[in-house]
């Protein structure tokens, strides 16, 4: 409410240029709307974290600077409303609507992203993620946060633009031992799921900060690269998602394609040092696009589409996702002449 800041149940109807809301009497909506929110010039914030105990909010600010806070019944319902309202706000700009739908499943993380910086901001007492006491199956867990709360926090702090991207980032935090699962729900997912599905964007899955601030690599785990591999001219570079060989998890990697000699290296964007975490010679390789109708044998986890495969002359299979069919075609066209 605007005068008395209480919360009331209202029935909402989204039209092309406005949101109407109705009072409910006896479980039925009244015939005339109680009020309306004009969407022209509106800005939308979702997730909105202004109310600590209300994580399912959408905030609308009209062009006359009136704030509306709308609370939904579930995260899925909130995100569905937010997407539809945003589409109505930008209805006169179809290109922007297409971009919004593309961003919904995007995975292009920020360049030079630092997990240390994210964790520092997460721990901030005023703007960081809220640590609370949570109950699960009769057990009490102090200073924890839910999976969906972390995803909301990453999006609201502009570390990610979509839930898929935020889950990827949250998985990195867990894999690098910045966070850890607690309680049966998240711990079970950690043990029995593919790594790409081990972090749960769920309000019943609990996590907390891990004791160790960083997982250190031993000298034996460090990958060594011949200087000549990295001396070739860079032909193409950009972010793609790659499936791991051992654990079949999907990770965002920065790929760099070089010629003379022809190599494809990939880098971990969360690491500050500028050295590859993997790579291979392209001589004798086969590269091909994979159709999106069905998941190929050997591919597991969260597959968004736009897959292609590279088979090295040693018969090692690399499965890679691009963010669009056009980007996939560009990478294939760039790699083929170097094989």
């Amino acid at each position: 409410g605007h005068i008395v800041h209480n919360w009331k149940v209202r029935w909402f109807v989204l039209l092309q240029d406005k949101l109407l809301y109705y009072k409910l009497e006896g479980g039925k909506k009244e015939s005339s709307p109680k009020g309306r929110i004009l969407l022209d010039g509106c800005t939308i914030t979702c997730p909105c974290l202004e109310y600590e105990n209300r994580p399912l909010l959408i905030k609308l600010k009209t062009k006359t600077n009136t704030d509306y806070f709308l609370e939904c019944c579930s995260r899925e319902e909130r995100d569905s409303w937010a997407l539809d309202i945003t589409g109505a706000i930008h209805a006169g700009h179809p290109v922007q609507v297409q971009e919004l739908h593309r961003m919904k499943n995007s995975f292009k993380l920020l360049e030079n992203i630092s997990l240390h910086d994210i964790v520092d901001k997460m721990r901030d007492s005023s703007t960081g993620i809220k640590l609370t006491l949570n109950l699960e199956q009769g057990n009490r867990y102090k200073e924890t946060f839910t999976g969906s709360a972390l995803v909301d926090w990453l999006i609201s702090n502009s570390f990610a633009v979509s839930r898929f991207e935020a889950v990827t980032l949250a998985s990195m935090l867990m894999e690098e031992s910045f966070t850890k699962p607690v309680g049966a729900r998240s711990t079970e997912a950690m043990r029995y799921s593919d790594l790409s599905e081990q972090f749960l964007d769920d309000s019943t899955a609990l996590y907390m900060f891990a004791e160790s601030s960083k997982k250190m690599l031993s000298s034996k785990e460090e990958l060594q690269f011949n200087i000549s591999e990295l001396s070739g001219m860079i032909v193409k570079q950009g972010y793609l998602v790659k499936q791991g060989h051992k654990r079949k998890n999907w990770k965002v990697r920065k790929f760099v394609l070089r010629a003379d000699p022809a190599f494809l290296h990939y880098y971990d964007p969360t690491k500050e040092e500028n050295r590859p975490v993997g790579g291979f010679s392209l001589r004798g390789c086969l590269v091909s696009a994979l159709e999106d109708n069905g998941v190929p044998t050997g591919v597991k986890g969260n597959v968004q589409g736009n897959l292609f495969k590279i088979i090295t002359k040693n018969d090692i299979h690399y499965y890679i996702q691009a963010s669009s069919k056009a980007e996939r075609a560009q990478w294939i066209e760039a790699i083929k002449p170097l094989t």
Side-chain angles (χ1 to χ4, degrees), residues 86-148:
T86 306
I89 291 172
H90 298 291
H93 307 279
V95 174
Q96 285 181 277
V97 175
Q98 290 175 3
E99 180 68 9
L100 288 166
H101 283 277
R102 186 195 67 77
M103 287 171 64
K104 187 181 178 185
N105 290 316
S106 74
F107 49 71
K108 288 191 174 181
L109 295 179
L110 296 171
E111 292 193 33
N112 304 318
I113 199 164
S114 167
L115 295 186
H116 287 281
D117 290 344
I118 293 175
V119 172
D120 286 344
K121 289 184 170 62
M122 283 177 66
R123 289 183 176 276
D124 187 281
S125 58
S126 58
T127 60
I129 193 163
K130 304 303 178 188
L131 303 179
T132 58
L133 172 67
N134 284 285
L135 302 177
E136 185 194 51
Q137 297 181 358
N139 296 315
R140 295 159 61 90
Y141 299 97
K142 295 181 180 180
E143 297 191 331
T144 56
F145 47 87
T146 67
S148 56

Side-chain angles (χ1 to χ4, degrees), residues 38-83:
L38 298 178
L39 298 178
D40 180 41
C42 256
T43 58
I44 183 169
T45 303
C46 179
C48 172
L49 305 183
E50 291 189 29
Y51 287 83
E52 185 177 329
N53 62 338
R54 294 183 182 272
L56 300 176
L57 289 184
I58 297 170
K59 178 182 177 181
L60 290 175
K61 181 184 282 290
T62 67
K63 65 179 179 182
T64 58
N65 289 324
T66 302
D67 290 340
Y68 290 88
F69 293 93
L70 315 177
E71 184 175 35
C72 300
C73 298
S74 68
R75 194 268 295 166
E76 291 78 11
E77 185 185 50
R78 180 199 66 187
D79 292 349
S80 176
W81 271 99
L83 190 67

Side-chain angles (χ1 to χ4, degrees), residues 222-230 263-266 275-280:
E222 294 258 3
L223 290 168
Q224 301 298 321
F225 292 93
N226 192 313
I227 295 297
S228 64
E229 290 184 26
L230 305 173
F263 274 85
L264 184 62
H265 291 99
Y266 45 95
R275 56 180 289 112
V277 294
F280 52 92

Side-chain angles (χ1 to χ4, degrees), residues 46 51 157 168 306:
C46 179
Y51 287 83
N157 284 272
T168 302
N306 308 312

Side-chain angles (χ1 to χ4, degrees), residues 186-254:
S186 55
T187 303
E188 186 173 323
M190 182 77 173
R191 288 176 181 166
Y192 301 113
S193 302
D194 293 326
L195 195 65
S196 60
E197 300 169 347
Q198 285 184 356
F199 180 85
L200 301 177
D201 178 8
D202 193 301
S203 61
T204 64
L206 303 180
Y207 299 88
M208 67 187 304
F209 289 113
E211 293 299 323
S212 59
S213 60
K214 187 177 181 182
K215 184 176 72 174
M216 302 299 291
L217 284 173
S218 71
S219 57
K220 290 182 180 178
E221 291 174 299
E222 294 258 3
L223 290 168
Q224 301 298 321
F225 292 93
N226 192 313
I227 295 297
S228 64
E229 290 184 26
L230 305 173
S231 63
M233 180 183 68
I234 294 177
V235 176
K236 185 174 176 61
Q237 57 184 316
Y239 289 92
L240 298 165
V241 177
K242 173 188 165 294
Q243 182 180 256
H245 291 297
K246 294 180 181 178
R247 304 176 73 179
K248 306 299 181 186
N249 52 325
W250 289 95
K251 293 181 181 177
V252 176
R253 292 289 181 251
K254 181 181 180 181

Side-chain angles (χ1 to χ4, degrees), residues 5 16 52 58 93 110 150 175 201 252 255 295 304 338:
H5 289 179
Q16 187 174 357
E52 185 177 329
I58 297 170
H93 307 279
L110 296 171
L150 177 53
E175 188 176 355
D201 178 8
V252 176
F255 279 79
V295 179
Q304 298 293 309
L338 302 177

